[in-house]
Amino acid sequence: MAEHLGDRLARLRRMANLTQEALAEQSGLSVDLVKKLEQKRKHSARLPTLHALARGLGVELTALLGDPPGVPSTGEVDPPELVALRRAVMPPLFAPPVEPSDTERLTAPLLRREISDAWTLYHDADFGRLMAALPGIITDARFTASVGTAEDRAAGQAALGKALQLAGHLAIRLGKTDLALSALERAMTAADQSSDPLLASMVSNSVAWNYQRQNRLDDATNLAVYAADKVEREQQDTAESVRVWGGLVMSAATSAARSGDYDTAKDMMSTAEDATKRLAKLPPPADGKLVSVFSRSSVRIERVRLAVQHARPEEALNLAKGMRLSADTPPSWRTWLLLDLARAHTDLGNAEGAVKALTRLREVAPGWMRHHTLAVAIVGDLWAGPARPPGLRKLAEFLGVAA
């Protein structure tokens, strides 16, 4: 069973050598709220509250949020698979370059397919398999970027940049924002030497996400806006450039919302959603898995998420009403939507609607759900509530909430 938010909060507070009263004062929250969370009389908290607690504790937001972990993030010695990923991202000093064992088989098209498949594993939240495969892919890409003609090396740098960007995303999901930033800095260096004119902007979006996780919201907003303006100035009107630009606008909107400026975020999201209409008139990307996620579905999903996080459950459900997800919507985005809908229904006291969304979530992503703190917290809130609609007991037993 995933660690309860209250247990995690109490553990982090003790590590910071703070009393409940001191944490409440430093966070700008009530002592009663801190006590209820730690005593598990309250099973969840809204994102602004979590941001405040993280600031009061002096920790990253990921310390309180519960992304499904691929490996434990406890501060203990890294497991071997994470050590291998670190070694691939940051090769040991003075060590000779590693040459792949099967260089005759290694080609640029094959490497791109492997990277594309690796991104699929990421979007499926299959972090264990991804962590096993990614070090070898990075090593292959680094070798490809160092041999052949100038054109070959530039193509290899593009592959290396995408592989390192993926390593950054995976590290963020594992709560290792230090490793993520190292990977993304190296991805940016590769992007500057690559044949892909949009890669640096895509990596900028990933860096902005890492900044968000570190609660560096102004830095995240400024970077996303700068990169979006650069794409708009310098790139032609292609599906690739629209998707990269749109992803950056969505990122800037998310940072603005988390900074408390929901109205600006809402305007940005509306602008992004309008831009998705241009995609229908343009030839699709050659490989959409290697380009930023951006479609009408993804924008709407993110708008639902922001509405839920900012205590606007009615708005969230209205945004989701009648939504038809496009075929290229990654599974991870679908699971987030179901979780957000469950949260919106819970906030409105509609236990039956919440259970319906959570039951669907269990069907499509049982492993993801079992390890996600927010999913456990929502089911815990429902189980402690006055109404227990059909299906809730099965969910509570599945997540270990029911006694």
Side-chain angles (χ1 to χ4, degrees):
M1 179 179 170
E3 184 183 20
H4 191 281
L5 173 60
D7 293 331
R8 186 182 298 107
L9 177 61
R11 174 170 54 81
L12 291 170
R13 177 178 60 76
R14 288 193 294 269
M15 289 173 61
N17 198 28
L18 294 172
T19 63
Q20 291 177 331
E21 291 76 13
L23 174 58
E25 182 178 356
Q26 291 188 190
S27 304
L29 301 170
S30 70
V31 178
D32 185 57
L33 174 62
V34 174
K35 289 181 177 179
K36 283 181 177 178
L37 285 169
E38 291 195 5
Q39 294 168 3
K40 302 179 188 177
R41 289 185 287 143
K42 184 175 178 61
H43 297 281
S44 59
R46 300 191 186 282
L47 193 63
T49 300
L50 293 173
H51 271 301
L53 288 169
R55 286 195 299 271
L57 291 165
V59 300
E60 298 172 3
L61 183 60
T62 47
L64 289 173
L65 286 178
D67 276 328
V71 295
S73 182
T74 61
E76 298 176 359
V77 175
D78 288 339
E81 58 269 44
L82 188 53
V83 172
L85 181 62
R86 285 188 183 276
R87 199 170 192 274
V89 169
M90 298 174 286
L93 295 175
F94 312 119
V98 177
E99 182 174 338
S101 59
D102 192 1
T103 54
E104 293 182 1
R105 177 177 170 271
L106 183 60
T107 63
L110 175 62
L111 182 57
R112 286 183 66 84
R113 284 198 300 273
E114 289 181 345
I115 295 172
S116 179
D117 290 344
W119 276 97
T120 298
L121 291 175
Y122 171 79
H123 286 302
D124 288 347
D126 195 345
F127 299 150
R129 288 177 60 195
L130 176 57
M131 200 155 24
L134 193 50
I137 293 174
I138 294 173
T139 299
D140 287 352
R142 187 171 277 117
F143 176 78
T144 304
S146 66
V147 297
T149 65
E151 185 178 349
D152 292 336
R153 293 194 300 274
Q157 292 287 356
L160 177 59
K162 287 304 294 184
L164 288 169
Q165 183 193 19
L166 178 53
H169 277 236
L170 177 60
I172 292 172
R173 287 296 189 195
L174 301 179
K176 305 291 185 179
T177 53
D178 60 330
L179 174 59
L181 196 55
S182 294
L184 294 172
E185 287 174 345
R186 287 163 171 79
M188 187 66 77
T189 299
D192 290 340
Q193 302 174 44
S194 79
S195 56
D196 186 345
L198 288 167
L199 183 53
S201 296
M202 286 189 278
V203 175
S204 294
N205 199 353
S206 302
V207 175
W209 181 34
N210 197 51
Y211 286 163
Q212 288 173 5
R213 287 307 185 96
Q214 296 176 322
N215 207 30
R216 296 170 57 179
L217 299 177
D218 287 343
D219 292 338
T221 302
N222 293 336
L223 178 57
V225 169
Y226 172 83
D229 288 345
K230 187 172 185 292
V231 171
E232 197 167 31
R233 286 194 315 270
E234 299 179 2
Q235 301 303 319
Q236 298 178 348
D237 195 27
T238 63
E240 289 87 348
S241 64
V242 172
R243 285 177 60 165
V244 172
W245 176 86
L248 287 160
V249 173
M250 288 173 61
S251 178
T254 299
S255 298
R258 291 180 179 177
S259 298
D261 192 353
Y262 185 79
D263 291 336
T264 295
K266 189 174 180 179
D267 289 343
M268 286 182 175
M269 283 294 185
S270 296
T271 299
E273 191 163 354
D274 288 342
T276 62
K277 300 172 185 175
R278 291 158 55 193
L279 291 173
K281 304 174 184 178
L282 297 168
D287 189 343
K289 295 177 183 177
L290 297 181
V291 187
S292 301
V293 175
F294 181 69
S295 65
R296 188 174 189 276
S297 295
S298 68
V299 177
R300 188 59 65 92
I301 289 170
E302 188 66 15
R303 290 184 68 184
V304 169
R305 181 181 302 177
L306 294 180
V308 170
Q309 291 173 345
H310 287 79
R312 300 167 188 247
E314 299 96 339
E315 182 178 331
L317 294 176
N318 285 333
L319 286 167
K321 192 176 296 181
M323 187 191 306
R324 292 186 177 182
L325 300 182
S326 57
D328 62 348
T329 303
S332 56
W333 287 69
R334 297 170 186 265
T335 54
W336 270 111
L337 175 62
L338 289 168
L339 186 58
D340 287 330
L341 293 178
R343 182 63 182 265
H345 283 300
T346 302
D347 288 348
L348 291 172
N350 181 8
E352 186 175 346
V355 168
K356 184 177 179 181
L358 289 166
T359 299
R360 178 60 180 152
L361 178 58
R362 181 186 174 185
E363 291 171 356
V364 301
W368 189 92
M369 181 182 185
R370 189 189 292 275
H371 292 99
H372 204 287
T373 303
L374 182 55
V376 175
I378 292 174
V379 173
D381 281 344
L382 292 170
W383 187 250
R388 292 183 178 178
L392 179 57
R393 176 171 288 277
K394 287 185 178 179
L395 291 169
E397 291 175 347
F398 174 70
L399 297 179
V401 170

